[in-house]
Amino acid sequence: MCNPLNPGGTVYRKEELEATLAFAEKHNLLVCSDEIHCDLILDEALTHIPFASINERAAQRSVTLMAPSKTFNIAGLGASIAIIPNPKIRQRFIKVKRGIVPGVSLLAFTAAEAAYEHGQDWLDAQLDYLRGHRDYLMREINALPGLKLEKIEATYLAWIDCSGLPVDNPHRFFEQAGVGLSPGIDFGNRQFVRLNFGCTRKTLEEAVARMKAAVLLL
Ligand SMILES: Cc1ncc(COP(=O)(O)O)c(C=O)c1O
């Protein structure tokens, strides 16, 4: 699972995590919870709840993945983290990743440590900036005929419903208009596109202007 959700940008509620745990227990499943976007909560009324934190039973069947790469824009300095409370699962993880998953370099480790220790003010400023982008996108996208954008609770991803557009491939349609979005089919629905708004306001405004011009010409 991915919490906050990519591409939907929703934050899992406690009841949803409990239901996931009940399902995992019923079917004897391990839960791999990708929580890489957990620091990017845009809705101030919400809090990220790690799956493994809901109770000890959840912790014992969990692998939680986190990283400073999205939060602090340091994906080039790979320092991702797997938190595995159960020692048997941890040993298995260490064994299967050997020779496949590279280790963390000293530079990446130092960058991650610096970001987590000293980056809070920067992150707060970034979150404010992203909240402005989210509000702008909600207004602009929902004002266009055929497009719909639900409230984005977290992440810098906008999952745009294009099912009201008279086009059969919205990804290609917008690409031809000069906007490179992620195709919804990569996430299971070709009537959607995913827009990454982790960029400057100027770039975002240019993208929206191109999308607007293309849609209004239909
Ligand atoms: C939901 C999600 N999880 C994990 C990753 C991988 O991040 P990293 O390679 O920095 O650990 C990405 C990157 O695109 C992502 O979108």
Side-chain angles (χ1 to χ4, degrees):
M1 64 186 286
C2 187
N3 177 28
L5 186 65
N6 172 17
T10 51
V11 174
Y12 278 71
R13 308 302 195 263
K14 188 146 187 275
E15 310 78 73
E16 292 172 313
L17 296 173
E18 283 164 352
T20 303
L21 174 62
F23 183 84
E25 286 182 324
K26 184 168 172 211
H27 299 282
N28 193 26
L29 300 172
L30 176 78
V31 177
C32 180
S33 188
D34 182 344
E35 303 187 6
I36 195 166
H37 288 109
C38 70
D39 300 310
L40 298 168
I41 308 293
L42 304 182
D43 186 329
E44 284 152 300
L46 297 174
T47 315
H48 171 73
I49 308 172
F51 173 77
S53 75
I54 61 173
N55 61 38
E56 187 54 24
R57 297 192 334 269
Q60 287 302 318
R61 62 170 67 238
S62 69
V63 172
T64 303
L65 303 176
M66 291 180 168
S69 46
K70 306 265 178 222
T71 313
F72 298 101
N73 194 20
I74 49 174
L77 293 165
S80 306
I81 301 152
I83 303 163
I84 311 175
N86 181 292
K88 279 204 187 115
I89 302 172
R90 189 161 64 240
Q91 284 315 315
R92 263 175 63 206
F93 181 90
I94 291 168
K95 201 166 146 202
V96 296
K97 87 177 179 71
R98 200 167 288 145
I100 303 173
V101 181
V104 177
S105 73
L106 185 57
L107 183 61
F109 187 90
T110 308
E113 192 178 37
Y116 282 136
E117 281 207 13
H118 308 292
Q120 191 61 48
D121 290 348
W122 184 90
L123 176 57
D124 290 343
Q126 179 188 230
L127 286 170
D128 277 347
Y129 193 64
L130 291 176
R131 286 180 184 120
H133 282 13
R134 174 206 52 192
D135 296 344
Y136 166 77
L137 270 178
M138 292 293 297
R139 265 195 324 271
E140 295 291 323
I141 298 293
N142 285 317
L144 289 177
L147 296 185
K148 210 161 114 224
L149 179 58
E150 297 288 347
K151 191 154 177 266
I152 304 163
E153 295 174 347
T155 78
Y156 42 67
L157 305 165
W159 182 233
I160 303 171
D161 182 354
C162 307
S163 55
L165 285 186
V167 298
D168 61 21
N169 185 336
H171 171 252
R172 196 177 50 211
F173 169 73
F174 285 119
E175 199 164 70
Q176 282 164 352
V179 187
L181 304 165
S182 303
I185 192 68
D186 289 0
F187 307 92
N189 193 330
R190 58 183 283 123
Q191 287 311 318
F192 281 73
V193 288
R194 193 191 70 169
L195 183 151
N196 182 326
F197 57 94
C199 59
T200 63
R201 176 58 76 96
K202 194 162 172 279
T203 302
L204 188 60
E205 284 174 357
E206 178 61 33
V208 167
R210 290 182 192 187
M211 290 173 76
K212 201 182 226 172
V215 168
L216 294 179
L217 269 181
L218 278 171

